[in-house]
Every structure is written in structure tokens, then in C-alpha cells.
Amino acid sequence: RGGHEVTRPIRVENAEVGDAIALKIREIEVTSMATSTGTMRERKEAFGDDPFVDHQCPECGTEWPDSVVEGTGEDAIRCVECGANASSFGFEYGYTVAFDEERTVGLTMDESGAHELAKDAAEAMDIPENSRQHPILLYEPAEMPGTLGRLRPFIGNVGTTPPVELPDSHNAGDFGQFLIDADHDWGIENEDELEKRTDGHMDVSEVRAGATLLCPVEVDGGGVYVGDLHANQGDGELSLHTTDVSGTVRMDVEVIEGLDLNGPILLPNEEDLPFISKPYSEEEREAGRELAAKHGVEMDEEMGPIQVIGSGATINDATENAFDRASELLEMSEGEIRSRCTFTGGVQVGRLPGVVQLDMLAPMDLLEERGIAHLVREQYDL
């Protein structure tokens, strides 16, 4: 159960607890022709503690009722048992987007265009054969028609299986807060239980083709899963939803023995790095050598970009979590981590309310000791 559909966990040969798995994302192909999204409105009568994992029919009370589609619009999804509107959500403000053939841009539809797509929603969204979801195009929202947006697909939910049962959408420090003291099957008692998460649900738009994601192995074989593809998203996912689509992902995997991570590390495409986090050019290194000689200081010649993912109830909590993870990874004090990130990196918002990327240029000798220097060199041609 969860707010997303994800693949079944995939076992990676030779991956053992205490290792890490590098997911090298080679290709993401969007197969949907259109989607709908926007800011959501909860139908509180259709769930208990949590609209994503505690669903019930608002009329007959059946938990996770089977449903059928009748027509289009926000009341199209009906409970098989009693015929009531069975959805937990509607749109507060919603829009429908159609994509060009190359999936490079999308254009928002007016009421007529949204309705035409809704009539053939499953085909337009290319819903997989074994899917258990109804296509969001059925809702046919039609706000802000005629708006053009650039597409750059990425994976919103990807990683390894945690050692405790968590809904896929709540495998993160922010959404996971809703499980604490919740009165349903996935409720947990306290924050300590949430520490076992693997932060698969990141919604970090830089997790796209060309990036490498390092994930902790917390169960035998890792249990790699993928889902929640997005056609695009601005940093922060400010609507809490974006352009969810169907598609295919191709990845290579590599087991990093003995790299005991407590959260994901991202090596994004170089063009996605902040300016001060990019690898040094030869001209910059030469200027640095001249400064080092002038002032009698030994310069670190080899530095490599890394992004440590942090999550928490708020952005501040997520940043503290990233500091802790980076400190443990590099065996540095929090003061040194903060200083290095200020001088050679920064923090970026992946998702509100609480997922961040902590950028820094890390000494390659430390990355060598951790067994990931070769991945950084490969990623950035160092």
C-alpha cells in the first residue's frame, strides 16, 4: 500500500546487508501521452488517519474497496459494493497536460481537450497491464489552459527496501511522520522506528538519466524498486503533486561491498550541479596551485562532487539529517561539513516539507577509502 505504484523489489546478486548498491540510471522513457495534476483536495470522509494508506469507502465503510470507472470527472471512481464515489482525493486546482511526440514539452488543455483525453484515459496514460490504479486523466481538470512547460523526466521513488514494512510513499523522513501514532496497519510508535527508512521516496528532480544513486542495503539482495515517474517538476514539488506518468527505466547496478550507508548519495549530471560544486577545471586548479605556492599552503588537488540526501519533518530537520549522514560518511565534524558545504556546495530543496540534497566537493582520498571514488571519477570524467 502507498501513494504510488512501484515495481516489486528486485534482488541484486551478492548485495548483502552493510553494502551499498549504485544505481546507474541510463535511460528514462515516458510512454504516457498526457497526464493531469495540481494541488489536491482531500475527501476526509474517504479515509481514516491517512488518505494514502488508510482508505475506506465513505458510504459503506469498506476498507480499500474494489472500484470501477463510470464516466469521467472527479466522481467517476465508484465503490463496487455500494456505488459511492470511492476516491480519497479531488483537485483544489488542477490541470491536464498533453505532451509532444518527443516528450520535450507539454501544453495544458482547456475543458474540451481535457475531456477528450479523459474519455480514453487509460490508453493516453499507457497504464501498465497489471496496474491497480485508475488514470488521473479521468478527473479532466482544466485550469490555466495554454501554458507551455518543458519536460525533463525523472524518478520520484527509487531505492532499496527498508528492513521494516513501510508504505512506499512514506519511505522518507517527511511523509513518514504521518505513520507515527497512526491507527492503521502501518502505524509506528515513534521517530526511532522511522530511522529504519531508506528514503526511496525523494522526488529529487536530478534523479534522472545520466545520474548515479547510491543506496543502502538493509535486506539481503537490496530489494531495488522503481516507481512514481514524473515528466517534470520544479524544485520542491510545491503542489505536492506533479506530472506523474507511465514509462520505462533502464539502469545498471554495482554492489559496493562494505559501504554501510545510512541514506542515499546522489551523483547528479554535472550540468545539474550548483556552480561552486562543479569539478574544477584545469585553469582553476592551476590558479589554485599558484595561490598555494605563494602562501605556502598544500592544496587538495583531487576533489569530487557528492550530494548527500537528507529527509525529515521539515526542511531544517532534513538538513540536519543530511549533516549527520555526511559527517558519518566522511568522518568529519558537523562544523567541517557545514563549512565545506558553504565554501564548495550548499543545500537544495528536493521536496517540501522535508527532502534536501547537501552538496559539497569532497576530498577524493576520503571517497577512495569509502570505495566510491571510482564512481565519482566515472560520473565526472575526473
Side-chain angles (χ1 to χ4, degrees):
R1 299 297 187 188
H4 305 128
E5 282 194 324
V6 297
T7 61
R8 291 183 177 182
I10 300 168
R11 177 184 175 85
V12 176
E13 188 176 10
N14 298 323
E16 299 179 353
V17 175
D19 295 337
I21 297 175
L23 305 178
K24 303 174 183 181
I25 306 169
R26 302 307 191 196
E27 182 180 24
I28 301 174
E29 180 184 2
V30 174
T31 57
S32 297
M33 297 170 53
T35 190
S36 296
T37 186
T39 56
M40 70 182 185
R41 171 181 52 80
E42 296 176 351
R43 300 184 64 238
K44 296 187 181 300
E45 66 275 16
F47 61 91
D49 284 344
D50 189 315
F52 294 103
V53 298
D54 194 18
H55 184 38
Q56 63 189 25
C57 175
E59 293 293 332
C60 66
T62 302
E63 295 183 358
W64 288 97
D66 290 335
S67 55
V68 294
V69 174
E70 295 182 3
T72 62
E74 291 194 8
D75 61 352
I77 300 171
R78 297 284 176 170
C79 172
V80 167
E81 297 294 327
C82 70
N85 182 352
S87 177
S88 297
F89 300 102
F91 280 120
E92 176 190 53
Y93 186 97
Y95 52 98
T96 294
V97 187
F99 307 141
D100 69 330
E101 289 293 332
E102 290 74 29
R103 310 304 196 269
T104 59
V105 295
L107 186 70
T108 54
M109 298 288 98
D110 60 13
E111 290 185 4
S112 175
H115 181 64
E116 286 302 310
L117 288 167
K119 289 193 298 184
D120 203 6
E123 182 174 346
M125 287 204 71
D126 192 33
I127 297 296
E129 181 180 352
N130 294 321
S131 172
R132 293 177 58 84
Q133 67 174 294
H134 297 298
I136 192 63
L137 278 174
L138 286 169
Y139 279 20
E140 56 183 330
E143 304 282 3
M144 63 179 203
T147 302
L148 185 67
R150 297 184 182 92
L151 305 184
R152 195 173 76 169
F154 71 98
I155 313 171
N157 203 334
V158 56
T160 47
T161 300
V164 296
E165 187 173 0
L166 294 173
D168 56 81
S169 53
H170 293 50
N171 184 17
D174 52 357
F175 275 71
Q177 300 294 319
F178 298 113
L179 301 178
I180 298 174
D181 292 328
D183 186 22
H184 54 66
D185 291 344
W186 292 274
I188 60 178
E189 291 186 2
N190 51 52
E191 185 85 26
D192 291 342
E193 292 187 55
L194 194 56
E195 290 300 310
K196 297 176 182 178
R197 68 188 186 273
T198 56
D199 276 345
H201 184 204
M202 292 178 287
D203 284 328
V204 169
S205 60
E206 288 79 11
V207 182
R208 65 185 185 96
T212 295
L213 183 69
L214 282 70
C215 305
V217 176
E218 299 291 350
V219 299
D220 187 41
V224 173
Y225 65 92
V226 180
D228 191 30
L229 297 188
H230 300 317
N232 75 343
Q233 177 193 292
D235 284 355
E237 196 177 23
L238 301 180
S239 292
L240 298 182
H241 291 279
T242 187
T243 47
D244 292 5
V245 290
S246 301
T248 59
V249 175
R250 183 172 63 85
M251 298 188 296
D252 295 333
V253 300
E254 179 182 340
V255 176
I256 312 299
E257 293 184 7
L259 179 60
D260 192 5
L261 297 177
N262 52 13
I265 298 172
L266 178 63
L267 307 179
N269 290 288
E270 184 170 342
E271 66 187 86
D272 293 344
L273 290 167
F275 171 72
I276 62 174
S277 299
K278 293 180 185 292
Y280 302 126
S281 67
E282 182 54 38
E283 291 79 7
E284 289 169 329
R285 281 195 294 270
E286 183 57 36
R289 293 185 193 108
E290 291 177 5
L291 277 171
K294 178 179 179 179
H295 295 282
V297 177
E298 185 176 349
M299 185 182 80
D300 282 330
E301 286 276 347
E302 285 197 291
M303 306 281 281
I306 62 170
Q307 289 186 346
V308 176
I309 302 296
S311 73
T314 68
I315 288 297
N316 285 347
D317 292 328
T319 304
E320 287 291 342
N321 178 243
F323 286 149
D324 291 343
R325 289 175 171 178
S327 294
E328 183 173 326
L329 173 70
L330 299 174
E331 296 183 355
M332 294 177 180
S333 68
E334 182 175 318
E336 182 171 358
I337 293 295
R338 285 176 176 266
S339 297
R340 287 183 178 274
C341 291
T342 300
F343 192 56
T344 70
V347 64
Q348 300 181 70
V349 177
R351 177 185 65 235
L352 294 177
V355 176
V356 301
Q357 304 138 263
L358 190 68
D359 293 277
M360 66 183 299
L361 284 165
M364 289 296 290
D365 58 346
L366 292 181
L367 300 182
E368 196 78 59
E369 291 175 9
R370 306 302 180 267
I372 61 174
H374 70 288
L375 295 171
V376 176
R377 290 194 175 96
E378 176 185 305
Q379 183 72 14
Y380 302 112
D381 196 25
L382 299 178

